[in-house]
Amino acid sequence: MRVKNSIINITAGIGNQLVITLLSFVSRTVFINSLGIEYLGVNGLFTNILAMLTLAEAGIGTSIMYSLYKPIAENDYEKINKLMRLYRSAYLVIALVVTALGLSLLPFLDEIVKNTSIHHLYLIYLIFLLNTVTPYLFSYKNSFLNVNQKSYIVTVAYSASSILSTSLKIGILYFTANYILFLIIDSILTIVTSVFLTMTANRKYPYLRQKAAGKLDAETKGGIIKNVKAIVIQNIGSYLVLGTENILISTFVSIAAVGLYSNYKMLIDIARTFINQVFSNLYHSVGNLVSSESGEKIYSVYKVMLLLSFWLYSLLTILLYLLIEPFIALWIGGKFLMTGGVLLVLLLLFYERGMRNPISTVKTTAGIFHEDRFVPLAQAVLGLGVSIILVRQIGIAGVFIGSLFGTLAMPFWTTPYLVYKKVFHLPVADYYLKYAYYSLIGISAFFAAYYTSGFIHAGNFSQLIVKGIVAFATVNLIYFAVFHRKEEFKYLQGITKIMFGKVTLKFKPHLKNGG
């Protein structure tokens, strides 16, 4: 059942993302042509600022979702309802806190956004704040669908909403160039979609409408509080690592530079989102696995995830390096390109975070929060320190070099150590040997793709597509030659056959513990 649910969720997610990706390119093109690079920069900056405010969430959702896996597996409806009551109450408080924090920043907007000709800046910010707060009023029911491995329902709902929203926004920009109306569309459709999903969850799980009697047991409540304390520290550190990039660029370079970076970020995020459609759905499968299976079984599934993660992230890292800048030049012009090795550093970050996904998934679903609670703060101190020093010296690239330095100094070592010690009960050297092995293969594949596709000059979109096909084929042929005899590859091959209907959903491949 886990395999079947994951396949349905992944297929729905990828189909959704294909449509949204196409629309996002049209939307971004119309946005730049209608409003310009400065509005693009403000869009990215306000997104970063409001991401900071969501730290008030403090990991409550993650901790309660972790606590739900076991009662769901045991059909313990009474405990589920007690947890959901806590979840709802916590998120109502969070919505109020985020609103208050957001309003408190209003007097400082002129200091944050300098030298801009954008009108109605305060109104724009307030609409961003509304769009940030609204999901908290409904997300506890959406999360319950995800924990039950019914995320394809959430995906389809948000897919329809996103397609409609993006289509309407393209029309608004094209005919009116009205940025405020552009943002209001998101507000309306977010509320409509959230209400629909809440009604869907109530219909599929009628027991959620029952009032929970009594209080949550002390052990579960104590575990949630302990995890929340750890996660809030981790979230603050994670925001300082991942959420301050636009703020640093705006402060030390310019708001227009944020706009330039946002195009690169959009393309890289599209690649990341495609892969996340696979891993976000596997996340809840692993959560159910951790709650009911042995460390040996979890390790065998982790190895499959690691191979899949390497294959997808390294493939897209190579393709993005070869294609992203020619694509931007053809799409919106050479004046939107960044120099100074920015792309290389961005893609190293993309690859490193991707390769860490499988081990981080096991860590989170196993409930390991407390032990490394200070790691993101240490990572943030190191990363921000290096970023602030280097951005003054070498510009935008310095911001991302600092982020990479902080990552390699802290979670690159601590996350594998904790998982191997507490879940797998194996020597952590196994992780780094696998990491080195995969990375060497990836580097070899990069040079092979670089030279085979280098003969094709990407002077138009047709040539760029041919260049991409050659690079794509080169990398996949190398990976197939290297991995086709591995048990992990055979498992993935079986899953792929299921997705394409070549075998029945009863296929259950056996994984050996080795390799």
Side-chain angles (χ1 to χ4, degrees), residues 373-386:
R373 60 196 181 281
F374 295 113
V375 167
L377 282 179
Q379 179 187 356
V381 170
L382 291 170
L384 275 176
V386 173

Side-chain angles (χ1 to χ4, degrees), residues 277-491:
Q277 294 301 328
V278 177
F279 286 100
S280 65
N281 289 298
L282 288 177
Y283 177 94
H284 298 293
S285 297
V286 174
N288 290 317
L289 194 71
V290 169
S291 69
S292 58
E293 299 286 357
S294 66
E296 182 180 352
K297 175 66 176 176
I298 299 164
Y299 177 66
S300 68
V301 173
Y302 158 75
K303 289 190 296 178
V304 175
M305 290 175 65
L306 183 62
L307 174 59
L308 180 61
S309 189
F310 164 73
W311 196 307
L312 295 176
Y313 274 99
S314 63
L315 171 64
L316 286 171
T317 297
I318 293 166
L319 292 176
L320 286 168
Y321 185 83
L322 296 174
L323 304 175
I324 196 170
E325 291 196 327
F327 176 81
I328 289 174
L330 290 170
W331 171 36
I332 49 178
K335 65 181 179 180
F336 289 94
L337 296 177
M338 293 191 294
T339 56
V342 175
L343 177 60
L344 176 61
V345 185
L346 287 173
L347 291 177
L348 287 174
L349 277 167
F350 173 75
Y351 174 76
E352 191 284 325
R353 289 170 188 165
M355 284 294 285
R356 198 158 25 98
N357 264 355
I359 201 78
S360 296
T361 297
V362 176
K363 172 186 168 297
T364 303
T365 54
I368 302 173
F369 304 117
H370 187 74
E371 292 83 350
D372 64 342
R373 60 196 181 281
F374 295 113
V375 167
L377 282 179
Q379 179 187 356
V381 170
L382 291 170
L384 275 176
V386 173
S387 292
I388 291 169
I389 292 169
L390 291 183
V391 72
R392 296 172 183 271
Q393 305 297 322
I394 61 175
I396 297 176
V399 174
F400 305 110
I401 291 172
S403 298
L404 184 61
F405 176 82
T407 297
L408 294 177
M410 296 304 299
F412 181 75
W413 304 99
T414 57
T415 302
Y417 171 77
L418 288 169
V419 171
Y420 270 77
K421 180 182 179 181
K422 291 181 168 290
V423 181
F424 299 155
H425 308 294
L426 293 169
V428 73
D430 172 79
Y431 174 82
Y432 296 105
L433 288 172
K434 282 183 168 60
Y435 198 107
Y437 168 69
Y438 282 132
S439 296
L440 285 172
I441 293 169
I443 291 168
S444 301
F446 165 74
F447 283 111
Y450 181 83
Y451 286 113
T452 55
S453 66
F455 296 103
I456 302 166
H457 172 67
N460 55 50
F461 282 112
S462 297
Q463 292 171 341
L464 185 66
I465 290 169
V466 173
K467 185 182 182 78
I469 290 171
V470 170
F472 179 88
T474 301
V475 174
N476 281 293
L477 285 170
I478 290 171
Y479 288 174
F480 178 80
V482 173
F483 298 125
H484 73 280
R485 288 193 176 90
K486 290 178 72 71
E487 291 294 328
E488 294 88 340
F489 178 86
K490 292 175 183 176
Y491 183 92

Side-chain angles (χ1 to χ4, degrees), residues 96-328:
L96 292 172
V97 171
V98 171
T99 301
L101 289 173
L103 293 174
S104 72
L105 288 178
L106 277 172
F108 306 102
L109 274 190
D110 287 334
E111 294 299 318
I112 297 169
V113 185
K114 297 178 179 178
N115 304 319
T116 181
S117 59
I118 293 175
H119 301 294
H120 309 298
L121 197 64
Y122 290 91
L123 179 57
I124 290 168
Y125 175 78
L126 287 172
I127 297 171
F128 263 93
L129 180 59
L130 175 66
N131 292 347
T132 302
V133 171
T134 302
Y136 285 122
L137 304 176
F138 305 96
S139 63
Y140 68 103
K141 290 285 178 73
N142 300 359
S143 298
F144 190 78
L145 289 170
N146 288 330
V147 173
N148 273 280
Q149 292 189 270
K150 297 293 186 290
S151 58
Y152 64 88
I153 297 173
V154 180
T155 298
V156 169
Y158 277 112
S159 173
S161 173
S162 182
I163 291 167
L164 179 59
S165 171
T166 306
S167 301
L168 288 171
K169 289 191 290 187
I170 289 169
I172 287 165
L173 288 177
Y174 185 80
F175 291 108
T176 71
N178 188 320
Y179 184 52
I180 291 172
L181 192 55
F182 173 92
L183 294 174
I184 289 172
I185 290 295
D186 272 337
S187 304
I188 296 169
L189 287 175
T190 296
I191 293 170
V192 171
T193 306
S194 297
V195 170
F196 167 77
L197 287 170
T198 297
M199 293 170 63
T200 302
N202 287 336
R203 188 171 64 253
K204 287 189 72 67
Y205 306 102
Y207 56 84
L208 292 178
R209 287 179 286 187
Q210 298 172 2
K211 288 188 177 181
K215 296 181 178 180
L216 196 62
D217 64 278
E219 183 182 353
T220 302
K221 195 171 182 179
I224 290 171
I225 292 170
K226 179 182 177 182
N227 287 337
V228 166
K229 287 178 179 177
I231 295 171
V232 66
I233 298 172
Q234 292 183 347
N235 282 359
I236 291 169
S238 296
Y239 172 78
L240 292 173
V241 172
L242 302 173
T244 56
E245 293 164 345
N246 282 342
I247 297 172
L248 287 174
I249 295 169
S250 175
T251 303
F252 292 103
V253 187
S254 69
I255 194 71
V258 176
L260 289 178
Y261 162 58
S262 71
N263 291 320
Y264 284 73
K265 185 177 185 299
M266 183 193 77
L267 294 170
I268 293 171
D269 282 349
I270 286 171
R272 183 180 285 112
T273 304
F274 267 109
I275 301 175
N276 283 348
Q277 294 301 328
V278 177
F279 286 100
S280 65
N281 289 298
L282 288 177
Y283 177 94
H284 298 293
S285 297
V286 174
N288 290 317
L289 194 71
V290 169
S291 69
S292 58
E293 299 286 357
S294 66
E296 182 180 352
K297 175 66 176 176
I298 299 164
Y299 177 66
S300 68
V301 173
Y302 158 75
K303 289 190 296 178
V304 175
M305 290 175 65
L306 183 62
L307 174 59
L308 180 61
S309 189
F310 164 73
W311 196 307
L312 295 176
Y313 274 99
S314 63
L315 171 64
L316 286 171
T317 297
I318 293 166
L319 292 176
L320 286 168
Y321 185 83
L322 296 174
L323 304 175
I324 196 170
E325 291 196 327
F327 176 81
I328 289 174

